[in-house]
Amino acid sequence: SQKIEQNSEALNIQEGKTATLTCNYTNYSPAYLQWYRQDPGRGPVFLLLIRENEKERRKERLKVTFDTTLKQSLFHITASQPADSATYLCALVPYGGSQGNLIFGKGTKLSVKP
Amino acid sequence: DADVTQTPRNRITKTGKRIMLECSQTKGHDRMYWYRQDPGLGLRLIYYSFDVKDINKGEISDGYSVSRQAQAKFSLSLESAIPNQTALYFCATSDLLGQGIDTQYFGPGTRLTVL
């Protein structure tokens, strides 16, 4: 069966450290993968996407990698701050899937302690 | 979030009642979506629409119906609400970018409780 899994429900780190979140998928061949941030009681907000033929994308303190052999994407936040505390969701559209029919992971709740 | 609005933001209703959740957008996007989010289950797609004349079922459409009244408006109805439809509901929009990439913009959500 097809699955998209984010490795942990919660991740606690100290301010200033790098947070690394993992998204694994099985039985999909995604054309691209996206990462969203969700704050409590609010809708997800798009952060970054990476295409299947790209290894890495960066935006300010954020970095996303994509390994189609491992079927895995890593999402890094460098020099983390308490304001980065939120739930982070990965999402993908598989090849052959309906355009726009995003499949979301359940999310990882990141807590950055001062 | 201001580009995508949802009404009501909170609603408590009773089993068997008909409920309509409304979504409006000013982004000018053709594509609109309804999701529900439950603790431990994540976001799941209920229905989506790629234009006014196009409506498609998502992963969990049973018990729901939708109406796309205009490009900017997409409503979700629960014909006869049941308690397991208690959830946080999100509307989203998107515009197909180049190379088939579709990034979604979410509304603030509607918290629905069915007693």
Side-chain angles (χ1 to χ4, degrees), chain A residues 14-29:
Chain A
Q14 206 66 34
E15 183 176 8
K17 301 293 186 183
T18 296
T20 299
L21 286 66
T22 303
C23 179
N24 295 292
Y25 58 92
T26 55
N27 297 324
Y28 284 114
S29 295

Side-chain angles (χ1 to χ4, degrees), chain A residues 11-73:
Chain A
L11 178 65
N12 298 310
I13 66 167
Q14 206 66 34
E15 183 176 8
K17 301 293 186 183
T18 296
T20 299
L21 286 66
T22 303
C23 179
N24 295 292
Y25 58 92
T26 55
N27 297 324
Y28 284 114
S29 295
Y32 57 92
L33 191 143
Q34 303 183 26
W35 285 88
Y36 289 76
R37 169 182 172 143
Q38 186 175 21
D39 291 286
R42 307 190 70 170
V45 175
F46 169 75
L47 295 175
L48 276 175
L49 73 82
I50 186 164
R51 296 178 176 82
E52 55 93 18
N53 61 352
E54 297 177 323
K55 295 293 185 186
E56 179 180 303
R57 274 241 181 160
R58 292 176 184 262
K59 178 181 177 183
E60 297 173 351
R61 294 184 296 112
L62 309 180
K63 184 177 83 171
V64 175
T65 63
F66 198 8
D67 188 326
T68 54
T69 300
L70 292 179
K71 296 186 182 296
Q72 181 180 83
S73 175

Side-chain angles (χ1 to χ4, degrees), chain B residues 102-114:
Chain B
D102 197 306
T103 299
Q104 296 190 8
Y105 298 85
F106 286 80
T110 294
R111 187 168 295 280
L112 176 66
T113 303
V114 183

